Amino acid sequence: MKALAARLRERRWVWSFAGALVVWLITVISAGGRGAGATLTAGLGFAAFYVMAGMGQMLVVAAGPGNIDLSIPAVMTLAGYLAIGAMHGDPSMLWLGIVVVLAVGGSVGLINVGLIKIARVPPMVATLSAGFIMQSITIAYSKTTTAKPPGILMQFAVGRTMGIPWIAIVLIVAAAILGLVMSRSVFGRDLLAVGQSERAAYLAGIPTRRITTIVYVASSLLAAVTGLLLAAYSGGAALDMSSDFLLMSIAVVVIGGTSITGGRVSAAGIWGGSLFLYLMSTMLNVLGLGAGVRYGLTGVIIIAVLALSEDHAPI
Amino acid sequence: MLRLSARIAPALRGAGLPFLPVLALTIMVIGMGIMQPRATSYIGLQLILRFVPPMIFAALAQLCVITASDIDFGIGPFISLVNCIAATLLSSHPALCFLLLAAGVAAYGAMGAFIQIRRLPSIVVTLGASFIWLGLALLIMPTPAGSAPDWLVALAHWRAPYLPLPILVGVLAAIFSQWFFRMSSYGVVLRGLGSAPPFLRDAGWSLVVARSALYALAGLFGVISGLMLTALISSGDANVGTPYTLLSVAAVIVGGSSFTGGVISPIGAVVGAFIMLLTGVLLSFTPISSDWQLSVQGLLLLLVLGLRALSRRHA
C-alpha cells in the first residue's frame, strides 16, 4: 500500500486520467448509458487541440519559475487567419499555408525570447504584450478575408479511422515522443536542470540561453500549428476561436502533474488534463449547467490542484 | 534641456512625483490640446476622461498586488463580477449587494493568505481565480442587463467646482495612496513584503497577514473600480472588465513601479492610468483605426520596460 502511494506520488498524471474517467462515467450514466463511445471519441478529437497547445506551454513552464507563454491564443488566431487567407481554399497552396504557420510561430517565438533575454522584460508581460500586438494585427487583417480552408486540410482535421480522430492519433504519438525527449535526451535533461536552477545549470556548462530560445520558439510554433488545424476543423478562422486557450494551455499542464515552478514535467499528463477538462465541460452540458458553472469549476479545480500539489517556491 | 531635466528630475522625485510619467502625460495633454482645442475645456475633459476613475482604481488594485512582487491576472474579471452584482442588486437590495461585495474583498484577502501559506506563483492562482470571477459573473448575468441606481449615476456625472470630476478623483486617489504606501507605518511594512520578506518575518511581522492585507486592499479597490464602472455604463456585463487586467498592469509599470522588490510609485500608478486612457483618446484623434489601440498600449508597455532595462545596464 505504501509502495503504491509512493508510486502514485511519483506519477501524478495518473490522477488526471482518473479524473477524466470519473467525469466520463458521470456523463454516460446521467445520459442513461447512451453515447458513451461518441462522447469519448469527440473528447479525444477536441482534447487533441488542448494537448497541442499544452505541449508548448509545458516546455516553457519547465524552464523554471516565472516562465509562461501568454501569447499562445494570439499566435493561434493570427496563424489561423494568415495561413487560411494565404491558401485561399486552394489545395495546391497548402505549402504556402505551412510556410506562413512556421513563419508566424517562429517569429513570435523569437520576439518573445528577444524581449525576455535581451530587453529583460518579465516573461509574462513580454508574451502578453507581444500577444496583444498580434491580436491587433489579426483584428485588422480579419476584416479583409473570409477564406475557407482547403478541402484536404479540413478532411485531415476532421478525419477518423474506426471512430478515432486522426488528430488524436498524431497527438498521442507526439506526446509520447515529447515524453521520451524530456526523460531520455540531453535537451530534456538540460531543460529540467535549467528549470530547477538556471544559475546552477549555467555554471554546469548548460547553454541556458539556447534552451530558453528553443522552448519559446517551440511553444509559438506549436500554437501556430494548433491555430491552423483548429481553423481547418471549424471551417475557417474566427477572432474568438482561441479565447479558451490562455487558461486551458496552463490548466492542462498543471492538472497533468507538471510543476508550475519548473523542473518537473509530465507529457502524458497533458493528455489526462485535456481529456479531463473537455469531458468535464461535456458533463456539465449534459447535466444542463451553463458556461458560468464550467468557468467557475475550472478555476476551482486549478486552484485545488495547486493546493494539493507539493510545490513550494522559495521565498 | 537635458541639464534642466537632470536638475528637475531629482527635485520631483524628492516630492514623490515620478518625473518621466508626469512629463509624458504633460506632452500628451498638450498634444491633445493642439489636435482638439475644445477637448481641454472643463466639459471636454469631464467627457473625455470619464472612464479614468475606474481605470485609476483598477491600477491601484494592481499596485497593491505588485507591491508584494506578485501579479494579479484576475482583476479585470473581478471588476466585471462587481459590475454584475451591482447592476443586479444595488437598486433593489443594497444591503445584500454590499454584503456580497464585502465577501469579494474577503475572498481576495483569503487568496493572498493562500498564496503566502502555500508559496504558490500568484500568476496561476489569480488566473484560476479569474475564471471563478468570470463564472460567477456569467451565472448572475448570462447576457448584459441590469441598471445602476440613480444616486450612483448622479455621483459619476457630478460637476465638481474648479476641477473636472475625473481629475479630482485622480488627485484624491494619488494623495491617499501615496500617503498610505509611502508615509504610513504599515505601508512601509507592506512594501517590505515585496523587497525583503525574510527581514520582515524576523522583525516579527506576519507575512500571511501582510500579503492578505495587500490582496484585500486590492479587492477593495477592485470593488470601487467596478462600482464606478457600473455608474458610467449603467448596466451589467460579464465581460466588461476584461481589458482592465492588462491596462492596470501597464498603468502601474508605465507609472514607474517595478515588478519585483516592492519598489512602487502610487502617484505614478494614477498618472499611468491617465496615460493609458489618453493613448486611446489620442489615437481616436488620428486617422489610425482603433483596431490598433491594443498594439499601441502593448508597445508602450514594452517600450517603457525596454528603456528601463537599457538605463539599468548603463548605470
Side-chain angles (χ1 to χ4, degrees):
Chain A
M1 200 59 206
K2 229 175 189 173
L4 183 71
R7 278 182 69 174
L8 274 180
R9 207 170 302 139
E10 205 177 302
R11 303 201 174 149
R12 298 173 186 203
W13 53 267
V14 172
W15 293 110
S16 57
F17 282 97
L21 185 66
V22 169
V23 289
W24 177 67
L25 285 175
I26 296 175
T27 313
V28 173
I29 291 167
S30 50
R34 283 187 305 274
T39 308
L40 197 60
T41 51
L44 278 172
F46 212 84
F49 292 106
Y50 289 156
V51 174
M52 214 181 310
M55 291 201 310
Q57 189 70 271
M58 185 191 84
L59 287 170
V60 170
V61 165
N67 280 301
I68 201 155
D69 188 353
L70 302 179
S71 65
I72 286 177
V75 172
M76 284 175 62
T77 329
L78 180 63
Y81 263 105
L82 289 183
I84 300 284
M87 292 182 290
H88 225 86
D90 182 356
S92 66
M93 297 297 270
L94 193 60
W95 64 272
L96 184 63
I98 293 167
V99 167
V100 168
V101 162
L102 296 181
V104 169
S107 50
V108 177
L110 287 175
I111 291 170
N112 284 339
V113 175
L115 289 171
I116 295 162
K117 286 290 164 187
I118 297 168
R120 303 255 159 220
V121 178
M124 54 191 159
V125 179
T127 53
L128 192 69
S129 308
F132 275 107
I133 294 164
M134 303 306 137
Q135 207 179 320
S136 287
I137 298 173
T138 316
I139 293 171
Y141 179 76
S142 68
K143 290 181 179 157
T144 65
T145 179
T146 50
K148 288 264 168 269
I152 184 169
L153 200 61
M154 280 174 89
Q155 280 156 21
F156 172 74
V158 299
R160 291 167 176 230
T161 299
M162 291 187 298
I164 301 171
W166 292 347
I167 288 194
I169 298 171
V170 172
L171 264 297
I172 289 169
V173 175
I177 293 173
L178 181 64
L180 281 176
V181 165
M182 290 310 297
S183 61
R184 299 266 187 270
S185 76
V186 176
F187 166 77
R189 307 311 295 182
D190 282 357
L191 172 56
L192 293 181
V194 171
Q196 280 154 20
S197 166
E198 185 165 358
R199 179 102 188 114
Y202 178 77
L203 292 174
I206 292 173
T208 53
R209 189 176 277 227
R210 192 195 306 162
I211 300 275
T212 316
T213 308
I214 292 174
V215 294
Y216 276 98
V217 171
S219 175
S220 289
L221 282 174
L222 280 164
V225 176
T226 314
L228 174 66
L229 289 176
L230 191 59
Y233 182 86
S234 33
L239 279 178
D240 61 347
M241 71 180 192
S242 64
S243 52
D244 261 0
F245 279 73
L246 178 63
L247 187 84
M248 286 304 174
S249 67
I250 300 168
V252 298
V253 167
V254 172
I255 292 174
T258 293
S259 164
I260 193 66
T261 50
R264 197 193 61 230
V265 297
S266 168
I270 303 178
W271 259 109
S274 301
L275 278 173
F276 172 64
L277 286 180
Y278 182 78
L279 291 174
M280 188 184 79
S281 72
T282 314
M283 175 188 82
L284 295 175
N285 279 338
V286 169
L287 296 177
L289 299 166
V293 178
R294 183 164 68 89
Y295 284 127
L297 210 53
T298 310
V300 169
I301 287 167
I302 290 167
I303 293 181
V305 169
L306 279 174
L308 292 173
S309 72
E310 293 138 41
D311 307 330
H312 289 291
I315 314 179
Chain B
M1 180 67 196
L2 257 178
R3 201 175 300 161
L4 191 67
S5 75
R7 275 164 66 185
I8 292 175
L12 276 174
R13 256 200 301 278
L17 270 176
F19 174 61
L20 276 177
V22 172
L23 181 69
L25 182 60
T26 313
I27 292 173
M28 289 174 95
V29 172
I30 292 173
M32 190 174 76
I34 292 170
M35 278 194 269
Q36 199 61 263
R38 266 177 305 177
T40 47
S41 67
Y42 180 102
I43 298 288
L45 287 172
Q46 175 111 352
L47 201 68
I48 283 175
L49 298 177
R50 67 189 184 284
F51 278 99
V52 159
M55 183 99 86
I56 287 173
F57 283 93
L60 288 178
Q62 191 65 257
L63 181 82
C64 296
V65 177
I66 287 180
T67 301
S69 292
D70 285 350
I71 196 154
D72 184 358
F73 263 78
I75 191 66
F78 183 73
I79 291 171
S80 304
L81 175 61
V82 172
N83 167 243
C84 289
I85 293 175
T88 317
L89 291 173
L90 193 52
S91 306
S92 51
H93 302 84
L96 178 64
C97 178
F98 282 109
L99 198 68
L100 284 177
L101 295 180
V105 174
Y108 249 80
M111 189 162 73
F114 176 64
I115 288 171
Q116 178 65 45
I117 292 167
R118 300 303 314 254
R119 310 241 170 87
L120 290 167
S122 59
I123 175 170
V124 188
V125 176
T126 54
L127 206 58
S130 78
F131 271 62
I132 300 179
W133 312 139
L134 176 64
L136 290 173
L138 281 171
L139 277 180
I140 296 173
M141 204 158 268
T143 51
S147 65
D150 296 336
W151 60 267
L152 195 63
V153 177
L155 205 61
H157 295 92
W158 181 52
R159 297 250 171 107
Y162 308 115
L163 279 179
L165 185 63
I167 296 177
L168 184 66
V169 171
V171 169
L172 293 179
I175 291 173
F176 168 76
S177 54
Q178 187 79 7
W179 165 79
F180 179 74
F181 279 108
R182 308 287 301 218
M183 288 173 213
S184 78
S185 51
Y186 199 56
V188 176
V189 171
L190 293 179
R191 280 189 290 137
L193 182 67
S195 58
F199 291 108
L200 201 62
R201 191 183 46 204
D202 292 347
W205 294 95
S206 161
L207 299 187
V208 178
V209 172
R211 199 173 299 262
S212 177
L214 276 174
Y215 274 75
L217 196 57
L220 181 65
F221 285 140
V223 166
I224 298 175
S225 172
L227 288 176
M228 290 179 158
L229 192 61
T230 310
L232 287 168
I233 61 176
S234 204
S235 70
D237 179 347
N239 290 306
V240 68
T242 314
Y244 285 98
T245 303
L246 175 85
L247 287 174
S248 65
V249 176
V252 170
I253 300 304
V254 166
S257 304
S258 302
F259 278 110
T260 52
V263 183
I264 54 157
S265 167
I267 292 185
V270 174
V271 173
F274 276 93
I275 291 179
M276 293 322 287
L277 191 114
L278 280 181
T279 51
V281 173
L282 283 177
L283 203 64
S284 72
F285 288 161
T286 67
I288 304 169
S289 153
S290 65
D291 294 346
W292 298 96
Q293 189 175 330
L294 272 177
S295 263
V296 172
Q297 287 165 338
L299 276 173
L300 185 68
L301 177 59
L302 289 177
L303 189 74
V304 168
L305 285 168
L307 286 178
R308 212 177 282 168
L310 273 180
S311 69
R312 253 205 316 274
R313 204 169 289 174
H314 288 299

